[in-house]
Amino acid sequence: QVQLVESGGGLVRAGGSLTLSCEISGSIFSFDVMGWYRQAPGKKREWVASITPDGVPSYAPSLEGRFLISRDDAKNMANLQLNALKPEDTAIYYCNARRTASWPERLDIGSWGQGTQVTVSS
């Protein structure tokens, strides 16, 4: 059974940075496309970024340049560095593991973690 556990969320002031981590177990991590998603209060969950097993990243266009996704296959972990944070980045951030890099916006694919809360104060 695949399990994903996110960590690293917290409260940060606008302009600050955070690094989120996702540890996966029960899967062959090197085959997984790892993704980060977020859900703000009252809004739908949205795709933030993904990284393929080969290390090729992709980002939601509105977020590229501020966020950086990476993976550490030796530790079965995927990370998301959040920079220049804004109050509108406040959300629960979720990790996802799937076997395809296609259709990252689809939420019905792969396995999910429980999420980690990021709160950005103004």
Side-chain angles (χ1 to χ4, degrees):
Q1 184 177 358
V2 178
Q3 291 189 319
L4 299 97
V5 179
E6 301 95 334
S7 61
L11 174 64
V12 64
R13 289 188 173 184
S17 298
L18 279 175
T19 298
L20 308 181
S21 296
C22 172
E23 185 172 7
I24 186 172
S25 60
S27 178
I28 303 175
F29 181 71
S30 59
F31 290 172
D32 289 319
V33 177
M34 299 301 298
W36 284 94
Y37 296 71
R38 68 183 185 182
Q39 187 166 14
K43 296 188 176 182
K44 290 178 59 176
R45 191 174 299 188
E46 63 175 355
W47 172 63
V48 173
S50 296
I51 188 164
T52 69
D54 294 335
V56 178
S58 56
Y59 299 90
S62 62
L63 299 174
E64 189 165 8
R66 292 195 299 124
F67 293 0
L68 180 66
I69 191 170
S70 63
R71 63 190 294 149
D72 186 337
D73 286 6
K75 296 181 179 179
N76 283 6
M77 293 187 72
N79 300 312
L80 183 69
Q81 183 177 334
L82 313 176
N83 299 312
L85 283 162
K86 306 174 182 180
E88 52 263 42
D89 294 318
T90 295
I92 300 175
Y93 284 71
Y94 296 91
C95 181
N96 174 275
R98 58 183 65 186
R99 292 298 169 91
T100 177
S102 301
W103 317 295
E105 298 85 358
R106 285 183 59 174
L107 305 179
D108 60 338
I109 301 175
S111 300
W112 295 90
Q114 293 300 307
T116 185
Q117 176 72 49
V118 172
T119 303
V120 184
S121 63
S122 56

